[in-house]
């Protein structure tokens, strides 16, 4: 009888744990749905005053928001879904290229060749082809839109399929760069994981957040400078800037707040 009671109790505990896990997952799905319903993939330009108004009761962040407003004119928010770095970077860079035909042409050629580079590194062509085609389609549509380039860019980046396919492909480019220079990047990876394992677990999957190693690899692969302003609770009132790759001239400016990237405009 005692054994049956213990077994019954154990079953009840297991069921309770499963129910609790299911409840947490349901809450997570609800939060994700609310974010999707209320936050565009890429928002409109906003004054830096909008950032200050978020922190009226937080002296540390308010002082840093005011400091940021002395350096930058506008902010553009991206959806906080783990893909924000790749989405913010690509949007901001393509937007900048609209005003620089020479740089646009160079980037288009680099993007075109990138598929062959990935295939050479061992990525299966049939897997990456559709994502590469989508990136090229967006580059061409934006580049050929003339005065409507900004509107076309904004429209495409807020269409889930186009936007997500570009993120997927940028993740693959980043993974390729990490694997190509595996000996160098191995030094930055914690634990016993190889670079390839790290790429499969932390770089290639959607919704995985990006860190320094992602930014260094991607900016190196695309030969593009990125300045990230880190807004946190660190000492001082200035928002620390880091350039990737080190010493490069930034083409893209991003704001990082714990777990999230938005676009900044000098």
């Amino acid at each position: 009888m005692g054994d049956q009671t213990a077994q019954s109790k154990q079953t009840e505990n297991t069921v309770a744990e499963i129910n609790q896990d299911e409840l947490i997952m349901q809450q997570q799905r609800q939060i994700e749905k609310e974010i999707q319903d209320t936050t565009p993939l890429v928002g409109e330009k906003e004054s830096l005053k909008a950032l200050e108004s978020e922190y009226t009761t937080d002296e540390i962040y308010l002082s840093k928001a005011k400091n940021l407003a002395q350096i930058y004119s506008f902010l553009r928010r991206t959806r906080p879904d783990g893909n924000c770095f790749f989405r913010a970077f690509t949007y901001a860079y393509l937007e900048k290229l609209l005003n620089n035909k020479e740089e646009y042409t160079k980037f288009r050629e680099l993007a075109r060749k990138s598929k062959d580079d990935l295939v050479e590194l061992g990525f299966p062509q049939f897997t990456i082809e559709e994502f590469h085609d989508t990136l090229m389609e967006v580059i061409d549509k934006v580049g050929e839109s003339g005065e409507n380039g900004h509107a076309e860019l904004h429209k495409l980046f807020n269409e889930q399929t186009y936007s997500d396919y570009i993120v997927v492909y940028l993740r693959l480019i980043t993974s390729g760069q990490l694997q190509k220079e595996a000996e160098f990047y191995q030094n930055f990876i914690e634990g016993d994981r190889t670079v390839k394992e790290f790429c499969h677990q932390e770089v290639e999957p959607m919704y995985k957040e990006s860190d320094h190693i992602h930014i260094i690899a991607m900016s190196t692969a695309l030969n593009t400078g990125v300045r990230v302003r880190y807004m946190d609770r660190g000492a001082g009132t200035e928002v620390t800037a880091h350039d990737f790759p080190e010493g490069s001239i930034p083409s893209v400016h991003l704001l990082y707040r714990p777990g999230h990237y938005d676009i900044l405009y000098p």
Side-chain angles (χ1 to χ4, degrees):
M1 187 71 177
D3 287 348
Q4 280 185 329
T5 305
Q7 196 171 3
S8 174
K9 196 79 176 165
Q10 191 175 3
T11 304
E12 281 176 23
N13 290 341
T14 304
V15 169
E17 282 172 18
I18 290 169
N19 288 343
Q20 182 65 20
D21 288 346
E22 179 58 33
L23 189 65
I24 291 166
M25 285 170 70
Q26 279 179 5
Q27 287 172 337
Q28 183 66 29
R29 283 194 290 268
Q30 185 61 35
I31 291 165
E32 286 167 4
K33 188 176 185 312
E34 282 171 17
I35 290 171
Q36 284 178 7
D37 291 346
T38 58
T39 313
L41 290 165
V42 183
E44 301 290 345
K45 266 186 180 179
E46 300 176 39
S47 160
L48 263 291
K49 289 288 178 192
L51 193 63
E52 289 180 36
S53 67
E54 285 182 43
Y55 299 117
T56 50
T57 59
D58 188 322
E59 283 185 27
I60 294 173
Y61 271 98
L62 181 60
S63 65
K64 294 194 174 187
K66 286 180 175 176
N67 167 248
L68 210 58
Q70 293 172 2
I71 309 164
Y72 295 94
S73 306
F74 297 102
L75 167 81
R76 193 188 293 274
R77 300 174 197 269
T78 60
R79 184 182 290 172
D81 61 1
N83 296 317
C84 52
F85 166 70
F86 290 103
R87 210 180 313 272
F89 167 82
T90 318
Y91 185 104
Y93 189 42
L94 285 174
E95 189 177 28
K96 182 179 170 60
L97 294 182
L98 286 171
N99 302 317
N100 190 329
K101 197 68 183 169
E102 188 181 339
E103 202 175 332
Y104 168 87
T105 305
K106 279 184 190 170
F107 177 67
R108 189 192 180 283
E109 182 58 18
L110 188 152
R112 188 188 65 76
K113 286 171 57 186
S114 63
K115 182 181 75 174
D116 295 336
D117 295 340
L118 288 174
V119 170
E120 250 183 70
L121 284 166
F123 288 81
Q125 184 163 334
F126 70 91
T127 305
I128 64 175
E129 200 136 41
E130 198 173 347
F131 301 114
H132 178 258
D133 288 349
T134 301
L135 174 65
M136 295 310 299
E137 185 184 345
V138 169
I139 290 171
D140 288 342
K141 277 186 172 181
V142 169
E144 292 161 9
S145 294
E147 291 179 4
N148 296 320
H150 289 276
E152 185 68 16
L153 175 69
H154 198 71
K155 177 171 80 78
L156 291 170
F157 265 77
N158 277 294
E159 288 182 21
Q160 191 89 43
T161 303
Y162 277 108
S163 207
D164 283 356
Y165 272 37
I166 288 169
V167 169
V168 169
Y169 194 70
L170 264 288
R171 285 181 176 278
L172 293 173
I173 284 178
T174 305
S175 174
Q177 184 67 25
L178 287 164
Q179 292 180 59
K180 191 164 85 174
E181 298 184 359
E183 197 175 329
F184 169 72
Y185 287 109
Q186 186 67 58
N187 301 311
F188 299 94
I189 294 171
E190 294 175 358
D192 297 325
R193 289 185 289 185
T194 65
V195 169
K196 192 181 269 284
E197 286 168 343
F198 177 81
C199 288
H200 290 335
Q201 294 163 10
E202 305 294 340
V203 182
E204 293 167 17
M206 289 288 276
Y207 312 113
K208 283 285 187 177
E209 290 183 8
S210 302
D211 209 338
H212 281 195
I213 191 169
H214 300 71
I215 306 174
I216 296 166
M218 195 213 62
S219 57
T220 302
L222 297 180
N223 195 26
T224 308
V226 184
R227 175 166 291 169
V228 180
R229 292 274 176 180
Y230 288 85
M231 194 167 168
D232 54 26
R233 294 199 172 277
T237 58
E238 291 194 6
V239 184
T240 312
H242 286 290
D243 292 343
F244 304 93
E246 200 174 330
S248 64
I249 297 168
S251 294
V252 168
H253 294 253
L254 301 177
L255 171 64
Y256 176 82
R257 286 176 285 175
H260 184 62
Y261 296 87
D262 290 312
I263 302 167
L264 287 169
Y265 293 85

